[in-house]
């Protein structure tokens, strides 16, 4: 007698739990407490790293490799294991507390920054997820590892006047931070064999873990067939500088335990191998201290205790894609009169100092439809493509050809194992409780540009985020085409045997105007903030930092995170952020 499907799945899950045992600890050289700063007591270090996130911990670990220097990391949050239980470590819970306005919120996990009302999206305000934990957003993202294209990084190198940013020169730094584990074919179904390029990795990389999940849901192999029918070629990897096609997705995962790996791995390694890195957790930077025009340290707040952390060397390193702007503008880097004038100007016309209207605040994820499936599903395939000429207006198509490198995709297929609907709440208990997959498609080549600016002279007050999504009519044209391509993916012959119905928005939504209205009411973000402290040549009026991350016109201050990207490359930015640990490697 066959067991009903839900019971069969339950038996399988129970056997997995029984078969595995876990042990986790925090260890360090000497006394553990020696690696953590004492709140309220001022101290001095050679380097001060503001923000223990994806970039901050990577940079701090590299600096601490030199035993002759001391490094302080100042982080507003705590370990995500303490702040979010198992919901960060267990990948299945990655969507918890996400969505454009989730009902449940975890104040210890996120900064809970919201955008300004977006006129082209029904005047909705969006939660802009940003991790407020040790590890930053690498402790609450979807774990995806996708590098940009050769053309994108060559464009970066040309734009900032520094050949070290070309893909071939970047590659060794991509490899440097990551320990790769090949997929275990014995743990995966025979029709879910993941290909990979050994040349993408180095045997000496680490400590961040990257690999493939052992468990693969049934829809994945069907999606591969559907991508092929749509005209996408199978790629061996999404990390080799080529993205036009589809491939199995590698993720930041400890393959031995199948749990999240994050930039916290750099801190754990430093605790075990060094004695010169000190962490100030649950501590907010209030102001940068300047002495004779050079950054000399920071004023911090630990639960109401205000004190100084001084830097003896030539650099403070600021991190956090919005808080790099926020902390800098609240510091004595800005003359009080200029700051007051900027706040007044913002109140009048929504602009302000260090506003980067030429940089990407984010690329947007345009939800297209939710489809009801027969099997329980999770997709581990990602696809990229350039849109066919006949699905776009001639002016839009021409702009895409002339504005982006030839290998830069227009859209990304972001298929998720959930009923997405309007995207308000993506927590695991928020859906209708049945078996769905969300055929969402993200816009990778966009023309709309937003800005981030100050809202207060208090760094505890979140900055003003105005992405201006879909404000450029060409993006609206691309979004409509992306919707139609997503619908085409799930209606072709290859995947038809497992599709029950289009559950949202429904097959009656057919005209361009109807589709655009659905997009405006259901668009969500993928939270990839970039470009608010844009890198560039020193004579570029839009540039905030030079190609070494040094703030132009200021001594002793660098920004090292996604905010300094000159633009947002295709793919996911976390791999590139980790690479930025090489900034200033010859001077620091």
């Amino acid at each position: 007698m066959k067991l009903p499907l839900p019971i069969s799945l339950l038996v399988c899950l129970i056997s997995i739990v029984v078969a595995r045992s876990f042990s986790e600890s925090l260890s360090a050289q000497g006394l553990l407490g020696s690696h953590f700063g004492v709140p309220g007591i001022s101290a001095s270090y050679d380097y001060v790293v503001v923000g223990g996130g994806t970039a901050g911990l990577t940079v701090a670990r590299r600096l601490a490799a030199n035993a002759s220097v001391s490094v302080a990391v100042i982080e507003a949050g705590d370990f995500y294991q303490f702040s979010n239980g198992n919901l960060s470590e267990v990948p299945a819970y990655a969507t918890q507390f996400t969505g454009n306005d989730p009902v449940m919120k975890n104040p210890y996990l996120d900064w809970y920054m919201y955008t300004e009302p977006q006129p082209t999206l029904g005047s909705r305000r969006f939660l802009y997820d940003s991790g407020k934990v040790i590890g930053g957003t690498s402790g609450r993202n979807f774990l995806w590892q996708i590098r940009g294209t050769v053309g994108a990084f060559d464009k970066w190198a040309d734009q900032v006047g520094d050949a070290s940013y070309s893909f071939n020169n970047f590659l060794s730094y991509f490899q440097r931070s990551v320990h790769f584990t090949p997929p275990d074919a014995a743990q995966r179904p025979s029709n879910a064999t993941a290909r990979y390029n050994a040349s993408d990795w180095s045997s000496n990389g680490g400590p961040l873990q990257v690999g493939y999940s052992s468990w693969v849901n049934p829809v994945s192999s069907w999606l591969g067939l559907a991508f092929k029918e749509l005209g996408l070629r199978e790629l061996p990897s999404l990390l080799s500088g080529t993205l036009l096609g589809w491939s199995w997705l590698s993720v930041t995962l400890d393959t031995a335990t199948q749990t999240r790996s994050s930039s916290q791995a750099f801190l754990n390694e430093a605790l075990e191998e060094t004695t010169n890195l000190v962490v100030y957790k649950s501590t907010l930077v209030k102001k940068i201290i300047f002495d004779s025009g050079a950054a000399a340290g920071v004023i911090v707040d630990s639960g109401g205790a205000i004190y100084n952390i001084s830097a003896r060397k030539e650099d403070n390193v600021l991190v956090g894609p919005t808080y790099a702007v926020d902390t800098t503008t609240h510091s004595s880097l800005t003359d009080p009169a200029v700051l007051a004038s900027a706040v007044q100007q913002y109140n009048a016309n929504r602009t302000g100092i260090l506003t980067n209207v030429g940089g990407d605040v984010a690329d947007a994820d345009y939800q297209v439809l939710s489809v009801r499936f027969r099997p329980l599903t999770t997709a581990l395939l990602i696809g990229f493509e350039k849109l066919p000429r006949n699905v776009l207006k001639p002016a839009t198509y021409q702009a895409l050809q002339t504005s982006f490198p030839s290998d830069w995709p227009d859209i990304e297929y972001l298929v998720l194992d959930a009923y997405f609907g309007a995207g308000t709440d993506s927590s695991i208990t928020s859906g209708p409780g049945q078996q769905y997959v969300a055929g969402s498609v993200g816009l990778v080549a966009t023309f709309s540009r937003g800005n981030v600016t100050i809202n207060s002279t208090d760094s505890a007050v979140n900055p003003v985020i105005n992405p201006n999504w879909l404000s450029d009519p060409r993006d609206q044209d691309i979004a409509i085409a992306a919707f139609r391509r997503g619908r085409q993916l799930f209606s072709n012959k290859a995947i038809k045997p497992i599709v029950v119905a289009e559950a949202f928005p429904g097959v009656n939504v057919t005209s361009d105007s109807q589709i655009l209205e659905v997009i405006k009411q259901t668009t969500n973000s993928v939270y990839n903030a970039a470009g608010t402290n844009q890198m560039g040549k020193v004579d570029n009026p839009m540039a905030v930092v030079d190609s070494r991350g040094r703030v132009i016109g200021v001594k002793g201050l660098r920004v090292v995170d996604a905010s300094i990207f000159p633009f947002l490359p295709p793919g996911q930015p976390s791999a590139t952020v980790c690479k930025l640990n090489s900034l200033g490697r010859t001077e620091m």
Side-chain angles (χ1 to χ4, degrees), residues 503-520:
F504 181 89
V507 295
N508 293 329
V509 176
T510 57
S511 69
D512 283 357
S513 60
Q514 289 175 322
I515 291 171
L516 182 58
E517 185 59 29
V518 168
I519 290 171
K520 288 181 175 181

Side-chain angles (χ1 to χ4, degrees), residues 242-270:
T242 300
L243 293 180
L244 292 173
W246 68 272
S247 184
W248 293 94
L249 185 65
S250 58
V251 289
T252 51
L253 188 77
D254 183 332
T255 57
T257 62
Q258 295 289 294
T259 57
R260 177 188 297 273
S261 182
S262 74
S263 64
Q264 195 182 110
F266 293 95
L267 174 60
N268 292 344
E269 182 181 77

Side-chain angles (χ1 to χ4, degrees), residues 169-336:
N169 290 329
F170 240 35
L171 182 59
S172 64
Y173 294 99
F174 279 133
Q175 298 170 331
R176 181 181 189 177
S177 301
V178 175
H179 175 77
F180 174 67
T181 301
D184 186 348
Q187 297 294 321
R188 295 168 65 95
S190 59
N191 63 349
T193 301
R195 299 166 59 192
Y196 66 95
N197 279 336
S199 59
D200 291 340
W201 313 100
S202 167
S203 59
N204 298 320
L208 183 69
Q209 303 287 316
V210 172
Y212 295 83
S213 62
S214 295
W215 189 69
V216 179
N217 275 314
V219 75
S220 299
S221 58
W222 291 94
L223 272 173
L225 298 174
F227 279 137
K228 290 178 183 177
E229 185 173 325
L230 198 63
L232 276 67
R233 59 174 177 148
E234 183 179 2
L235 300 173
S237 169
L238 295 173
L239 300 128
S240 303
T242 300
L243 293 180
L244 292 173
W246 68 272
S247 184
W248 293 94
L249 185 65
S250 58
V251 289
T252 51
L253 188 77
D254 183 332
T255 57
T257 62
Q258 295 289 294
T259 57
R260 177 188 297 273
S261 182
S262 74
S263 64
Q264 195 182 110
F266 293 95
L267 174 60
N268 292 344
E269 182 181 77
L271 294 177
E272 293 180 353
E273 297 182 4
T274 73
T275 59
N276 57 338
L277 190 151
V278 175
V279 178
Y280 289 81
K281 66 185 186 68
S282 305
T283 298
L284 179 67
V285 171
K286 302 297 291 183
K287 185 178 181 180
I288 303 170
I289 302 169
F290 283 83
D291 182 10
S292 301
V298 291
I299 298 173
V300 301
D301 181 349
S302 299
I306 309 296
Y307 55 106
N308 294 353
I309 302 295
S310 301
R312 294 188 289 263
K313 292 286 187 180
E314 57 97 5
D315 284 286
N316 285 295
V317 184
L318 296 182
V319 299
T322 52
Y323 269 77
V325 170
D326 206 28
T327 308
T328 303
T329 56
H330 294 313
S331 73
S332 55
L333 170 63
T334 304
D335 181 87

Side-chain angles (χ1 to χ4, degrees), residues 18-31:
V18 171
R20 290 185 179 273
S21 62
F22 298 91
S23 176
E24 190 173 19
S25 63
L26 187 64
S27 59
Q29 279 199 32
L31 293 174

Side-chain angles (χ1 to χ4, degrees), residues 515-553:
I515 291 171
L516 182 58
E517 185 59 29
V518 168
I519 290 171
K520 288 181 175 181
Q521 297 302 321
T522 63
T523 291
N524 206 349
S525 169
V526 290
Y527 321 114
N528 290 341
T532 52
N533 285 313
Q534 186 183 105
M535 178 188 293
K537 299 174 183 177
V538 295
D539 59 354
N540 178 358
M542 290 303 300
V544 177
V545 302
D546 65 14
S547 66
R548 298 293 91 195
R550 296 171 295 205
V551 176
I552 297 170

Side-chain angles (χ1 to χ4, degrees), residues 219-473:
V219 75
S220 299
S221 58
W222 291 94
L223 272 173
L225 298 174
F227 279 137
K228 290 178 183 177
E229 185 173 325
L230 198 63
L232 276 67
R233 59 174 177 148
E234 183 179 2
L235 300 173
S237 169
L238 295 173
L239 300 128
S240 303
T242 300
L243 293 180
L244 292 173
W246 68 272
S247 184
W248 293 94
L249 185 65
S250 58
V251 289
T252 51
L253 188 77
D254 183 332
T255 57
T257 62
Q258 295 289 294
T259 57
R260 177 188 297 273
S261 182
S262 74
S263 64
Q264 195 182 110
F266 293 95
L267 174 60
N268 292 344
E269 182 181 77
L271 294 177
E272 293 180 353
E273 297 182 4
T274 73
T275 59
N276 57 338
L277 190 151
V278 175
V279 178
Y280 289 81
K281 66 185 186 68
S282 305
T283 298
L284 179 67
V285 171
K286 302 297 291 183
K287 185 178 181 180
I288 303 170
I289 302 169
F290 283 83
D291 182 10
S292 301
V298 291
I299 298 173
V300 301
D301 181 349
S302 299
I306 309 296
Y307 55 106
N308 294 353
I309 302 295
S310 301
R312 294 188 289 263
K313 292 286 187 180
E314 57 97 5
D315 284 286
N316 285 295
V317 184
L318 296 182
V319 299
T322 52
Y323 269 77
V325 170
D326 206 28
T327 308
T328 303
T329 56
H330 294 313
S331 73
S332 55
L333 170 63
T334 304
D335 181 87
V338 176
L339 181 59
S341 174
V343 173
Q344 184 177 9
Q345 182 184 19
Y346 160 73
N347 289 334
N349 59 19
R350 318 304 285 174
T351 61
I353 61 172
L354 284 187
T355 293
N356 184 1
V357 295
D360 297 320
V361 172
D363 77 357
D365 171 11
Y366 295 98
Q367 157 63 25
V368 288
L369 71 162
S370 291
V371 181
R372 179 91 183 272
F373 274 80
R374 290 192 172 90
L376 182 69
T377 62
T378 292
L380 294 173
L381 300 181
I382 294 291
F384 292 86
E385 74 167 343
K386 281 188 172 295
L387 289 165
R389 185 170 193 156
N390 63 346
V391 303
L392 295 169
K393 295 176 180 178
T396 302
Y397 180 83
Q398 183 62 28
L400 287 170
Q401 304 314 303
T402 57
S403 302
F404 299 93
S406 59
D407 63 358
W408 188 305
D410 298 334
I411 62 173
E412 177 181 3
Y413 293 93
L414 299 151
V415 182
L416 305 173
D417 59 328
Y419 178 92
F420 199 85
T424 302
D425 193 337
S426 299
S427 299
I428 57 175
T429 57
S430 62
Q434 295 175 310
Q435 296 156 357
Y436 293 89
V437 64
S440 53
V441 183
L443 271 64
V444 180
T446 60
F447 297 96
S448 302
R449 293 294 179 268
N451 54 75
V452 175
T453 188
I454 59 174
N455 193 30
S456 168
T457 56
D458 182 0
S459 64
V461 177
N462 283 335
V464 179
I465 302 174
N466 187 23
N468 288 325
W469 288 314
L470 288 186
S471 59
D472 191 303

